[in-house]
Amino acid sequence: MENKPYPTPHICSSPDKIAKTVLMPGDPKRSEFVAKNFLTSAELFNDVRGVKGYTGYYKGKSVSVMASGMGMPSMGIYSYELFNFFEVDNIIRIGSAGAISPSLRLRDIVLGMGACTNSSFASQYRLNGSYAPIASFELLRKAAEISEKMGLSYKVGNLLSSDTFYADFSDESTSWGKLGVLAVEMEAAALYLNAARASKNALAICTVSDSLVTGEALSAEERQNSFTDMMTLALDLATSI
């Protein structure tokens, strides 16, 4: 009998229950929100460790949504398994980010063309240099086109994927901002690296939830319920590929 690589310790499902395109918020409650408010005939395919994954239909096309958890180790596990064990072709991160650029306002959308990082995630590949994790151009181009049609306030550029939420060096973001980095989050670099290694496609779409420039911030409830533009953008992107 063939030794199947699934279910895994983290995803109790099979490839036929998961769509080729998966939306990945960090928060399990946000994956549940997408499933209940946007998808039809949504069915739960995973609840291991409370990381909820659903597959349903949006505009007649099968789409899955599953949480990634917080940070690059967590994103690294789930995206690796989806790409390599469950035959997923595209992962679209839908998350929150803190603005580094003064040009960004609360609820603006950032399309992560690249993901700078202070993580050592890429050291596993034993490269003689530094790898630049980037998004799938096909997904990025289509996301920008859809954003234009929707009339969204968005920017395309670099994200900073940080391993630290409470950094000892509090002015670190200022240094990245000098090089044009738009916003900081905690998952995109690991997602992009896993996608590159698996020859798959990935894009991080982030909504600005707080600003490291002005100190403004959305509440946890506002983050959960007011990111619908980002969710609609990601779902429309999923149905276009």
Side-chain angles (χ1 to χ4, degrees):
M1 181 179 292
E2 181 184 358
N3 184 23
K4 297 180 180 178
Y6 55 84
T8 69
H10 312 97
I11 304 175
C12 187
S13 189
S14 56
D16 60 295
K17 295 181 179 179
I18 304 176
K20 293 298 184 182
T21 299
V22 178
L23 273 60
M24 293 201 81
D27 186 353
K29 289 186 177 180
R30 196 174 299 154
S31 65
E32 185 176 32
F33 181 90
V34 172
K36 291 185 175 180
N37 291 276
F38 290 92
L39 302 183
T40 58
S41 303
E43 294 186 1
L44 184 72
F45 69 77
N46 185 68
D47 197 19
V48 178
R49 297 173 180 254
V51 176
K52 298 181 182 298
Y54 299 86
T55 297
Y57 292 88
Y58 182 77
K59 296 183 178 179
K61 184 168 182 176
S62 179
V63 179
S64 294
V65 55
M66 190 182 86
S68 69
M70 289 189 292
M72 279 174 275
S74 186
M75 169 60 86
I77 290 170
Y78 289 112
S79 61
Y80 184 95
E81 292 185 359
L82 288 172
F83 282 141
N84 293 284
F85 303 148
F86 292 95
E87 303 174 14
V88 169
D89 292 330
N90 313 289
I91 295 180
I92 304 168
R93 165 163 157 69
I94 48 173
S96 58
I100 296 175
S101 169
S103 66
L104 288 171
R105 300 167 297 176
L106 295 184
R107 297 187 178 87
D108 281 354
I109 289 174
V110 177
L111 305 179
M113 180 167 58
C116 308
T117 186
N118 58 18
S119 167
S120 60
F121 192 93
S123 64
Q124 65 181 297
Y125 305 116
R126 300 180 182 180
L127 302 170
N128 186 24
S130 298
Y131 184 86
I134 58 173
S136 158
F137 177 71
E138 179 185 6
L139 295 184
L140 178 63
R141 177 177 58 82
K142 289 183 178 180
E145 291 173 353
I146 295 168
S147 296
E148 291 287 342
K149 291 178 182 178
M150 291 178 64
L152 301 180
S153 178
Y154 78 98
K155 289 188 179 296
V156 177
N158 265 336
L159 293 166
L160 167 62
S161 296
S162 179
D163 264 347
T164 51
F165 189 87
Y166 299 105
D168 194 56
F169 173 36
S170 60
D171 294 330
E172 180 184 17
S173 61
T174 302
S175 300
W176 291 99
K178 289 177 181 178
L179 290 170
V181 175
L182 297 176
V184 58
E185 50 84 73
M186 303 186 75
E187 289 84 26
L191 173 60
Y192 289 1
L193 284 162
N194 275 348
R197 182 66 181 87
S199 298
K200 300 295 181 74
N201 302 304
L203 175 66
I205 302 175
C206 295
T207 298
V208 174
S209 60
D210 57 284
S211 173
L212 281 68
V213 179
T214 67
E216 299 174 285
L218 300 175
S219 68
E221 183 178 358
E222 287 174 321
R223 294 183 191 201
Q224 183 177 329
N225 299 321
S226 70
F227 288 1
T228 54
D229 282 346
M230 172 178 62
M231 296 170 186
T232 301
L233 166 59
L235 287 163
D236 284 346
L237 175 59
T239 60
S240 73
I241 53 181

